[in-house]
Amino acid sequence: MTRKVMLLVALVFAFSMVLAACGDSETAEPPAKNTATATMTEGEMPIDVTVDVSTGLSVIFDNDGFLLFDGEYDDSTYPLVTATILTDEVYEKYLADNKDSDSFREDDGFYKYTSDIGEACCLWKIGDKVPFMMSFEKSVDGDRADEIVGCLEFDY
């Protein structure tokens, strides 16, 4: 009988430890985002770019922009997004060349249109000073483009 009591006490103790562990997992904080950050230096002011790569994107930075890839970077893969700092003259030319397009629209300081080669493009000025352009590979629809933009942070 003593052996049964000892076994019962051990089982109750083990079960209570399992329940305690389950209770702790409910209060645990979610894991931190996995990000990549670099500074673009080609514009009027330095701009820190942070990309949330925990969403499956990978990034290659340069001093005037970056390339985003769907999944791990592979030098044989076409970039999903090409992003670059522009000169004021090029920025104004892109606006002028596309403002009469059926696809052109302004959305809170962001100018969006479809290029001649069928890529979605977005123009804006970071910090109201640095002209910037992102072009999305043809397979990227508007919802996916918004999702990708949501993975980016620009600090200046």
Side-chain angles (χ1 to χ4, degrees):
M1 175 114 149
T2 309
R3 184 177 166 134
K4 286 184 182 179
V5 171
M6 295 286 281
L7 183 58
L8 184 59
V9 169
L11 285 172
V12 168
F13 181 72
F15 186 67
S16 67
M17 294 299 286
V18 169
L19 289 177
C22 289
D24 286 346
S25 67
E26 292 176 20
T27 60
E29 292 185 29
K33 287 193 279 187
N34 187 14
T35 61
T37 302
T39 302
M40 297 184 298
T41 58
E42 283 296 310
E44 186 176 317
M45 60 190 180
I47 300 168
D48 294 329
V49 181
T50 302
V51 179
D52 180 358
V53 294
S54 63
T55 62
L57 296 173
S58 57
V59 61
I60 295 181
F61 293 106
D62 199 352
N63 60 345
D64 67 344
F66 54 91
L67 301 173
L68 293 176
F69 297 87
D70 199 10
E72 288 294 318
Y73 167 70
D74 177 350
D75 62 356
S76 67
T77 304
Y78 191 77
L80 191 64
V81 176
T82 302
T84 188
I85 293 173
L86 303 172
T87 64
D88 283 318
E89 294 79 22
V90 171
Y91 178 82
E92 294 301 328
K93 180 172 177 14
Y94 282 147
L95 282 178
D97 289 351
N98 291 286
K99 69 179 179 179
D100 294 329
S101 166
D102 292 339
S103 66
F104 188 85
R105 68 183 198 277
E106 181 188 357
D107 187 12
D108 198 28
F110 291 83
Y111 301 98
K112 301 174 182 180
Y113 62 92
T114 302
S115 72
D116 293 339
I117 60 171
E119 293 181 335
C121 296
C122 184
L123 295 169
W124 76 96
K125 288 196 175 185
I126 298 172
D128 294 327
K129 292 183 180 181
V130 180
F132 197 72
M133 177 180 182
M134 289 179 64
S135 61
F136 299 85
E137 204 269 329
K138 294 176 190 177
S139 67
V140 177
D141 65 11
D143 290 339
R144 178 71 171 128
D146 289 342
E147 206 176 280
I148 292 168
V149 171
C151 296
L152 306 174
E153 290 180 24
F154 297 91
D155 293 317
Y156 44 93

